Amino acid sequence: MRKWQKKKKPTPNESSEGIKEKVKDKVSTSKKYMPNLLKKDEKQKEKDQVIIKRASMKRSTATTIGRVFMIGSIVIVALGVFSAFRHNLVLSDLEDQVSAQQQDNSPDNNRNTQNIASTEYFTAQFIRHYTSIEPGEDKQKEREEALQSFLATGLDKDAGIDYANIPGSQRYDSSDVVSVKQKDDHISDVSIKVHVTSMKEVEKKSKDKDGKEKVEKKNEEKQATLYYLVRVYEDKNGYSVIGLPQPYMPKQNQQVTVSENEENKNTNAAVNNEVRSFLESFFKTYTAKDRSDETKFFFKDSAKAQSLNGLMNYVSMGDVSVYEKKSNKGQYIVRCSVKLEQPVTGIQSNHNYEFSLQQDGQDKFEILTMKPVSYEIN
């Protein structure tokens, strides 16, 4: 009788070897050709490739859109800057055009600024020589030569200064142009303020220790301020003074105008003498100090009355030429030469004036206008 025996358990080595065998069998089985699994695997690979491709395409498109957006932003900003710059240029052009039109339309700006400055400089240089006066033939000759480059041909070579009666000398100190008023394309009236110093020898009496009177000669200096109106002619060849300087007393809104006279000369001796007497009386009042209110009685329109009010003293009346206006009976154009004296320096000078007179009864006249003499330019 066989005894019952438990089944003998495999040893560890035996069990591990069995597992290995089973794994080998499974692996060998999985490596066998199976069409269904192969198709499934290929489809999965295709899906994976599509997903990868889509993902790749999405990243490229996003990058492209970002770049396009960035470039578009730069272009928009650049266009905005260009537009603003162009707009500013257009506005600047418009402003310049408007400014230029305003300057062209302004009466005060019709003349080139550079020409005005040149006219002022020319006049200042002329006044320097005109008011520099020293006695003696040599000094007179030097002054005449200096003035020739300023004065138009036909004017007095001494510019009206009477060298026969010079009590001393006069020194130019400084000058300032008050205004430049253009009469036409070639002629300007320059108003100028001049500072001078007069020097002359004077006798001063005194007593010595013994009480005896003695006379000493000393040089005396005095400062004076003068105002002149200088008429300047300008063309492409340069500048010329075309009239003797006229003294004037500046006043607000003073208007000085001159017109050429082409009327026939009057031959009535009686009228000519009456006109001379009238003008002599006028100039005595015109130059007298503290009598400026009386000059209005000589003018038809009292608002046009003028006065030097002691700035110059009347000396004498020179030539007087009377021209009758045929278009207005009883009206005359009068040109005259007057010698005046500077009260401070004592220097005398000749000045030419032109009047328009209205006869109001016998030996009675009224001044319509008073102007510097206008010379014809050849």
Side-chain angles (χ1 to χ4, degrees):
M1 184 172 152
R2 187 183 295 180
K3 293 181 180 179
W4 180 82
Q5 295 179 348
K6 292 182 180 180
K7 190 175 181 181
K8 189 179 179 181
K9 294 181 180 180
T11 61
N13 292 333
E14 291 176 349
S15 60
S16 60
E17 289 177 359
I19 294 170
K20 288 180 180 179
E21 289 294 333
K22 291 179 180 180
V23 171
K24 287 181 180 179
D25 293 340
K26 190 175 181 181
V27 170
S28 62
T29 305
S30 63
K31 288 183 178 180
K32 292 180 179 178
Y33 176 76
M34 299 177 69
N36 294 334
L37 293 177
L38 182 59
K39 289 181 180 180
K40 189 176 182 180
D41 185 54
E42 289 178 353
K43 289 182 180 180
Q44 185 64 37
K45 286 183 180 180
E46 290 178 359
K47 290 181 180 180
D48 292 341
Q49 289 178 358
V50 171
I51 292 171
I52 293 170
K53 186 176 181 181
R54 287 179 179 175
S56 176
M57 289 179 66
K58 287 180 180 179
R59 286 196 297 271
S60 177
T61 303
T63 303
T64 304
I65 292 174
R67 290 178 179 175
V68 169
F69 178 77
M70 184 179 296
I71 294 172
S73 300
I74 294 172
V75 171
I76 291 172
V77 172
L79 288 174
V81 172
F82 175 75
S83 178
F85 181 71
R86 184 173 177 273
H87 180 67
N88 288 337
L89 285 178
V90 171
L91 286 179
S92 178
D93 276 348
L94 287 175
E95 289 174 356
D96 292 343
Q97 290 175 10
V98 171
S99 177
Q101 289 176 357
Q102 289 176 345
Q103 291 178 356
D104 291 340
N105 294 332
S106 174
D108 295 335
N109 294 322
N110 283 341
R111 191 169 186 194
N112 185 281
T113 304
Q114 183 178 358
N115 289 349
I116 293 178
S118 299
T119 302
E120 291 179 354
Y121 177 78
F122 171 82
T123 306
Q125 294 305 307
F126 164 72
I127 284 294
R128 179 189 295 272
H129 293 288
Y130 174 76
T131 56
S132 298
I133 303 169
E134 294 183 69
E137 292 184 2
D138 293 341
K139 295 297 182 181
Q140 180 182 4
K141 187 175 181 180
E142 289 179 9
R143 182 175 176 275
E144 288 177 0
E145 291 176 352
L147 287 174
Q148 291 315 300
S149 60
F150 296 91
L151 296 173
T153 303
L155 291 179
D156 179 15
K157 60 185 179 180
D158 288 320
I161 298 299
D162 182 8
Y163 266 90
N165 297 287
I166 295 181
S169 62
Q170 178 176 278
R171 183 184 70 231
Y172 167 90
D173 293 330
S174 63
S175 62
D176 298 292
V177 173
V178 178
S179 66
V180 178
K181 296 181 180 179
Q182 188 178 5
K183 310 309 296 180
D184 57 31
D185 292 340
H186 299 285
I187 299 176
S188 297
D189 283 341
V190 182
S191 300
I192 190 167
K193 177 181 180 181
V194 191
H195 301 282
V196 298
T197 298
S198 69
M199 297 163 285
K200 60 183 178 181
E201 190 177 69
V202 296
E203 293 183 351
K204 290 194 174 183
K205 296 180 180 180
S206 62
K207 292 183 179 181
D208 58 17
K209 295 180 179 180
D210 299 329
K212 292 183 179 180
E213 187 177 85
K214 62 178 182 178
V215 179
E216 293 180 340
K217 292 184 177 181
K218 294 184 177 181
N219 290 326
E220 183 181 65
E221 290 190 3
K222 290 184 179 180
Q223 281 73 40
T225 300
L226 311 172
Y227 294 88
Y228 289 103
L229 179 70
V230 183
R231 176 152 288 185
V232 178
Y233 178 81
E234 171 197 349
D235 62 15
K236 63 181 180 180
N237 296 320
Y239 300 82
S240 293
V241 175
I242 59 173
L244 299 180
Q246 304 294 330
Y248 79 97
M249 178 63 73
K251 63 180 182 179
Q252 190 174 6
N253 298 326
Q254 183 182 16
Q255 298 291 327
V256 182
T257 58
V258 178
S259 59
E260 292 186 4
N261 172 43
E262 298 179 355
E263 304 293 339
N264 293 327
K265 195 169 184 178
N266 184 52
T267 57
N268 190 321
V271 172
N272 292 347
N273 291 333
E274 291 172 359
V275 169
R276 172 180 281 273
S277 298
F278 171 79
L279 291 179
E280 286 177 346
S281 298
F282 166 72
F283 274 105
K284 290 177 182 178
T285 305
Y286 173 68
T287 56
K289 188 175 180 62
D290 300 327
R291 292 185 63 184
S292 57
D293 290 342
E294 297 180 27
T295 59
K296 64 183 180 182
F297 298 112
F298 291 86
F299 287 80
K300 185 175 182 64
D301 183 358
S302 59
K304 295 181 179 179
Q306 304 178 36
S307 173
L308 289 181
N309 195 25
L311 184 67
M312 303 285 279
N313 294 329
Y314 171 76
V315 179
S316 62
M317 178 71 66
D319 295 334
V320 178
S321 299
V322 182
Y323 300 84
E324 186 176 3
K325 283 187 176 182
K326 292 184 176 181
S327 57
N328 295 295
K329 190 174 182 180
Q331 289 190 6
Y332 302 90
I333 294 295
V334 181
R335 293 180 178 178
C336 64
S337 175
V338 183
K339 180 176 286 189
L340 304 177
E341 180 185 74
Q342 298 174 13
V344 176
T345 65
I347 293 177
Q348 297 179 357
S349 54
N350 296 310
H351 306 278
N352 299 326
Y353 293 90
E354 181 174 295
F355 293 87
S356 177
L357 302 181
Q358 170 72 57
Q359 189 169 18
D360 186 19
Q362 187 176 2
D363 198 20
K364 185 178 179 181
F365 297 90
E366 291 178 319
I367 300 173
L368 301 178
T369 60
M370 176 183 175
K371 310 171 183 178
V373 168
S374 176
Y375 290 92
E376 183 178 357
I377 308 300
N378 297 320

